[in-house]
Amino acid sequence: MMTRVLLALAVLATAFLTWASGSPRAAFANSLGLSELSESQQLEAHRQPQEDESQVKEFKGKILKSDGRFVLEESSNGGNYGTYLLDDQATAKKYEGQRVVVTGTLDATHNTIHVRKIEAVA
């Protein structure tokens, strides 16, 4: 008997919220305080930030191990430009000691390249 009463109250509450807001989805958004945002804005707010395609670059150099972690020692024409930690250690391991081109984005704050791909240079 109690279960039926609770079920009836739940149905009535859902019906009221749907009627008051126009749709179940809007009722849910209202209950979360998201009614000011459109549905697409709500979805965008929950997505992970994406890398900006314009920031993707190629870094040339040699993959070495430093302090137990794989890094790219970037160089061009024999001059060193920097050493960067590679966030994809598993892929970097395959190219240890080789000259490569690493495609990715640079996190200058942490001196880390977020690797998209690594290719050996012939």
Side-chain angles (χ1 to χ4, degrees), residues 14-122:
T14 302
F16 175 75
L17 288 172
T18 302
W19 172 77
S21 62
S23 75
R25 185 171 288 154
F28 180 69
N30 286 338
S31 71
L32 296 177
L34 300 174
S35 60
E36 313 81 46
L37 301 176
S38 71
E39 185 176 333
S40 63
Q41 288 171 322
Q42 292 171 31
L43 289 173
E44 188 62 33
H46 292 289
R47 286 194 182 134
Q48 293 291 334
Q50 299 293 317
E51 291 177 345
D52 182 2
E53 291 297 321
S54 66
Q55 299 298 317
V56 176
K57 297 182 182 178
E58 288 186 345
F59 303 87
K60 297 177 183 176
K62 191 173 194 176
I63 293 185
L64 303 171
K65 203 165 194 179
S66 175
D67 294 327
R69 296 170 26 165
F70 292 101
V71 298
L72 177 72
E73 186 177 90
E74 186 182 33
S75 62
S76 178
N77 298 327
N80 288 337
Y81 287 116
T83 301
Y84 304 100
L85 178 65
L86 299 169
D87 73 345
D88 186 349
Q89 293 285 294
T91 302
K93 182 178 183 175
K94 298 174 190 175
Y95 296 94
E96 183 177 7
Q98 297 181 39
R99 296 198 49 72
V100 297
V101 174
V102 176
T103 304
T105 56
L106 176 64
D107 176 352
T109 305
H110 298 102
N111 207 36
T112 301
I113 297 174
H114 297 288
V115 177
R116 290 229 174 149
K117 70 178 176 179
I118 301 176
E119 298 174 302
V121 175

